[in-house]
Amino acid sequence: MRDAEPFGEPGYFFEGPRWHDGRWWTSDMHGNVVRSWTPEGEGRDELRIEDRPSGLGWMPDGSLLVVSMEKRLLLRLQPGAVAPDVHADLNPITADVPGFINDIRVDREGRAYIGFDPDIKLCGFPSDKGRLLCVEPDGSARIVARDLQFPNAIMFSGQRLILADTAAACLYAYDIAPGGDLGPRSDWANLSAKRTDKVKYLFDGCDIDSAGHVWAADCSAGAWRIAPGGEVVDGVALPPDYTAYACGLGGEDGRTLLICAANRDHHDERVKAPKAKLFTARVDVPA
């Protein structure tokens, strides 16, 4: 297990770590703000929204896409603008299930894939009502995968999309068709049989390295590097009482892993004080 070093200032609940234009970017979900950070950890507010922000991505023209979770909107901040527009309203294709939109990944054409997660309290955990959404560059949206329990991190590996399902302890793979639709689902890594009382492989935010291995944040522990097929080959330990909720690869050489971590307080306690932290660890294989 590798050790992690504190990075930046505390927040309420960090999500969506991305390396972009020489800076780290994160959402502070319960702080209602998107922040960016220098490699040395100096932060600044980039955008505040009247909702919980989550996944982040960029269009080919440099526009920032931000997931507005509970309103089920994909927001777009144009270069030079101070306020975002609504890029896509995802309520029409998710209105039949209580829940929220969450993580996002944007391809080179500006096509955004977004996870829709069922409300755990109302739908149960796990359920099969999760789905993966696709938003085209013009803002039109559709469902491209169904029957998921709790879809989370989204990654690209060549012409395949890899998706983390938190409840299933699985990383799934889909072939991507030329128009953005997805082929049948297959297991990229299934760790459900390896769960223990202490390590449950509750995959949240993840990233993929240049060797095709996935760094996965585990809501029950730290972060794991997982090989295709499911072998856990590396890991990062966090301080006691902290677990990982997202991680991303970046830095100037691509060998820094930024981990979004929070203590085990219930949601109602998290919003009372900025206890969430960012950590970094150096890894061997770059993004």
Side-chain angles (χ1 to χ4, degrees):
M1 295 290 286
R2 298 169 186 264
D3 293 327
E5 297 292 333
F7 177 85
E9 302 168 356
Y12 289 90
F13 193 89
F14 293 116
E15 269 282 12
R18 296 286 186 266
W19 175 258
H20 178 74
D21 262 353
R23 298 178 70 90
W24 287 107
W25 292 67
T26 63
S27 292
D28 188 340
M29 184 185 296
H30 298 321
N32 309 109
V33 64
V34 175
R35 304 202 79 197
S36 74
W37 312 79
T38 68
E40 296 73 33
E42 297 177 3
R44 73 183 182 210
D45 291 357
E46 298 285 352
L47 177 67
R48 288 191 173 272
I49 67 172
E50 295 180 356
D51 192 11
R52 292 193 292 163
S54 184
L56 306 174
W58 283 265
M59 301 285 286
D61 67 354
S63 298
L64 170 65
L65 297 181
V66 181
V67 167
S68 177
M69 296 184 72
E70 295 181 347
K71 294 183 179 181
R72 306 190 198 187
L73 302 175
L74 182 58
L75 305 179
R76 181 174 181 175
L77 182 67
Q78 302 280 356
V82 296
D85 300 316
V86 175
H87 182 56
D89 183 350
L90 300 174
N91 284 281
I93 58 174
T94 60
D96 58 314
V97 179
F100 51 87
I101 57 175
N102 196 354
D103 210 346
I104 181 175
R105 189 72 71 166
V106 184
D107 69 14
R108 291 188 178 94
E109 298 178 22
R111 183 180 292 117
Y113 292 89
I114 305 170
F116 171 76
D117 297 326
D119 185 297
I120 294 173
K121 294 180 180 179
L122 298 178
C123 298
F125 187 75
S127 76
D128 60 355
K129 297 181 180 180
R131 56 194 65 166
L132 188 64
L133 317 176
C134 179
V135 177
E136 292 290 341
D138 64 1
S140 59
R142 66 188 185 278
I143 300 170
V144 290
R146 296 178 181 269
D147 301 323
L148 296 161
Q149 296 183 32
F150 203 84
N152 232 309
I154 302 156
M155 297 155 281
F156 300 127
S157 179
Q159 291 303 115
R160 290 199 301 172
L161 182 148
I162 298 174
L163 173 70
D165 191 319
T166 305
C170 280
L171 294 161
Y172 296 128
Y174 301 84
D175 289 333
I176 305 173
D181 286 334
L182 303 181
R185 183 176 82 194
S186 62
D187 282 359
W188 188 91
N190 186 336
L191 278 78
S192 59
K194 298 181 180 181
R195 284 176 157 170
T196 68
D197 290 340
K198 292 184 178 180
V199 179
K200 302 182 184 300
Y201 297 115
L202 296 171
F203 301 137
D204 202 322
C206 307
D207 208 352
I208 193 165
D209 65 26
S210 60
H213 288 46
V214 168
W215 275 102
D218 179 355
C219 300
S220 71
W224 311 108
R225 184 171 182 250
I226 302 169
E231 182 183 1
V232 179
V233 297
D234 203 349
V236 176
L238 294 177
D241 297 327
Y242 277 84
T243 57
Y245 286 88
C247 63
L249 288 163
E252 295 298 339
D253 63 357
R255 288 184 165 89
T256 297
L257 185 72
L258 182 70
I259 300 173
C260 300
N263 55 27
R264 299 174 188 271
D265 288 347
H266 187 267
H267 164 76
D268 293 341
E269 294 300 318
R270 290 177 185 157
V271 300
K272 292 180 181 179
K275 297 180 180 180
K277 293 182 180 180
L278 297 170
F279 294 92
T280 59
R282 295 291 290 168
V283 299
D284 299 327
V285 181

